């Protein structure tokens, strides 16, 4: 694990801290759709709440989460679909703000999900490298320094001069992965392992992912691939209905979760 420093050459202390974090999503006009409310109640892992004053329905996706993650932690997020894993990752990434409580993160984050956010289908591959880089927080000069590496890794060549609406899904994933993983990051946030493209690119992408994990200070990884979590992580957090029900060694977490799903 390498040490990333500030401009003054001081080491960055990386951490993620959740203090009594609650995340609610308001569903407008849901009170008049009783059938959909029933279906929603069965489909999501959080709790559905109705405000008598506003007659609005909200889903509580995270409930009173307290969590401290420090350098060296490789955290596996476990839980059924709808348990709150993706919401937690997006809160860590700064995509979602807590309804109450606080999220405090120190260190540069790399989020390997929502990779297509901010793309322009009519812009070229080169133009979208700039757009996506700006969205993930890079300065224009930093993006321009990374273009050659992104182009080489993607292997898209002259296709980068074409609008991305002409790309196949595999080509699009190549471009997005190459942009996203061009950063140096202290904190790596992943929602499932990324598999894409032909076999040669998958091998190259897996090698880069493992290298990013080795160099990051913190990994938070949500996946249903139990063997991969056990191989990659040293700590396990189980979510159920938006709450943490277990936080400990990854092998204990996997054993407990496996009993729940069998």
């Amino acid at each position: 694990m390498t040490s990333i420093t500030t401009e003054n050459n001081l080491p960055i202390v990386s951490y993620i801290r959740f203090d009594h974090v609650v995340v609610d999503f308001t569903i407008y006009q849901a009170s008049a759709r009783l059938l959909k409310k029933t279906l929603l109640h069965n489909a999501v892992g959080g709790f559905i709440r109705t405000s008598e004053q506003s007659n609005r329905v909200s889903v509580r996706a995270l409930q009173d989460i307290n969590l401290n993650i420090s350098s060296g932690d490789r955290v596996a997020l476990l839980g059924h679909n709808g348990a709150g894993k993706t919401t937690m990752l997006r809160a860590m990434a700064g995509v979602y703000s807590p309804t109450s409580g606080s999220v405090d993160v120190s260190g540069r984050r790399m989020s390997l999900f929502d990779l297509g956010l901010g793309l322009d289908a009519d812009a070229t591959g080169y133009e979208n490298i700039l757009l996506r880089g700006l969205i993930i927080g890079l300065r224009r000069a930093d993006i321009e320094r990374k273009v050659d590496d992104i182009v080489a890794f993607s292997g898209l060549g002259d296709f980068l001069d074409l609008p991305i609406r002409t790309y196949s899904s595999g080509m699009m994933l190549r471009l997005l992965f190459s942009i996203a993983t061009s950063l140096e990051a202290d904190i790596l946030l992943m929602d499932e392992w990324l598999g894409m493209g032909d076999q040669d690119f998958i091998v190259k992408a897996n090698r880069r992912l493992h290298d990013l994990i080795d160099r990051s200070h913190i990994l938070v990884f949500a996946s249903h691939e139990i063997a991969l979590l056990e191989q990659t992580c040293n700590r396990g957090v189980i979510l159920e209905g938006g709450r943490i029900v277990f936080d400990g060694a990854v092998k204990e977490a996997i054993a407990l979760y496996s009993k729940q799903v069998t």
Side-chain angles (χ1 to χ4, degrees), residues 15-18 21 23 62 65 67-69 75 77 85-98 103-107 109-111 113 187-190 218-221 237 239 244:
Y15 59 78
I16 302 171
R17 295 172 183 159
F18 278 45
V21 169
V23 175
L62 293 180
I65 298 292
L67 182 67
N68 288 304
I69 300 174
V75 181
L77 288 185
K85 302 185 301 297
T86 299
T87 301
M88 179 176 282
L89 283 171
R90 287 176 175 165
M92 291 175 178
V95 176
Y96 293 157
S97 297
V103 177
D104 185 15
V105 178
S106 174
R109 291 164 283 191
M110 178 190 295
S111 304
F113 51 85
I187 299 170
L188 186 59
L189 307 173
M190 294 178 60
I218 290 171
L219 169 69
V220 185
F221 183 16
V237 171
L239 288 166
I244 293 176

Side-chain angles (χ1 to χ4, degrees), residues 53-71:
Q53 290 92 353
S54 62
N55 201 28
R56 289 177 183 168
V57 174
S58 64
V59 176
R60 178 148 292 180
L62 293 180
Q63 306 186 64
D64 196 31
I65 298 292
N66 292 292
L67 182 67
N68 288 304
I69 300 174
S70 304
S71 290

Side-chain angles (χ1 to χ4, degrees), residues 9-237:
N9 211 34
L10 297 173
I12 293 173
V13 178
S14 301
Y15 59 78
I16 302 171
R17 295 172 183 159
F18 278 45
D19 183 20
H20 297 286
V21 169
V22 172
V23 175
D24 288 340
F25 299 113
T26 300
I27 305 168
Y28 295 95
Q29 299 178 339
S31 58
R33 297 176 296 185
L34 297 179
L35 177 59
K36 288 190 177 181
K37 280 172 60 180
T38 302
L39 293 174
L40 183 63
H41 185 71
N42 291 331
V44 299
F47 289 104
I48 293 182
R49 305 161 65 245
T50 302
S51 169
E52 294 182 0
Q53 290 92 353
S54 62
N55 201 28
R56 289 177 183 168
V57 174
S58 64
V59 176
R60 178 148 292 180
L62 293 180
Q63 306 186 64
D64 196 31
I65 298 292
N66 292 292
L67 182 67
N68 288 304
I69 300 174
S70 304
S71 290
D73 283 340
R74 302 287 189 257
V75 181
L77 288 185
L78 294 151
H80 300 286
N81 290 332
K85 302 185 301 297
T86 299
T87 301
M88 179 176 282
L89 283 171
R90 287 176 175 165
M92 291 175 178
V95 176
Y96 293 157
S97 297
T99 306
S100 63
S102 64
V103 177
D104 185 15
V105 178
S106 174
R108 172 174 276 187
R109 291 164 283 191
M110 178 190 295
S111 304
L112 294 183
F113 51 85
D114 297 333
L115 296 182
L117 183 66
L119 294 183
D120 183 345
D122 291 318
T124 68
Y126 280 112
E127 291 167 337
N128 274 290
I129 289 173
L130 175 61
L131 287 172
R132 182 63 186 160
L134 292 172
I135 286 170
I136 62 179
L138 293 176
R139 294 174 297 181
R140 189 184 186 103
D142 294 331
I143 301 167
E144 290 172 351
R145 282 196 295 269
K146 295 178 180 295
V147 165
D148 289 344
D149 175 68
I150 293 169
V151 170
F153 193 86
S154 72
L156 291 174
D158 292 340
F159 286 104
L160 290 168
D161 291 311
L162 300 177
I164 63 170
R165 58 179 165 77
T166 65
Y167 288 13
S168 68
S169 58
M171 292 167 64
M172 185 71 75
L173 284 170
R174 278 173 172 255
L175 177 62
L176 294 173
F177 180 85
S178 301
I179 297 169
T181 58
S182 65
L183 292 172
E184 287 288 333
D186 310 295
I187 299 170
L188 186 59
L189 307 173
M190 294 178 60
D191 195 352
E192 296 295 349
W193 194 263
L194 297 171
M196 66 214 73
D198 55 35
Q199 187 59 37
D200 288 342
F201 189 78
I202 290 173
V203 170
K204 186 166 66 169
N206 283 340
R207 190 182 304 122
R208 177 172 278 199
L209 276 177
H210 283 296
D211 184 53
L212 285 170
I213 290 169
D214 289 342
R215 289 187 285 115
S216 65
H217 297 176
I218 290 171
L219 169 69
V220 185
F221 183 16
S223 179
H224 294 287
E225 295 290 336
I226 299 300
L228 190 57
L229 291 174
E230 189 168 12
Q231 172 190 344
T232 309
C233 301
N234 57 22
R235 177 178 171 187
V237 171

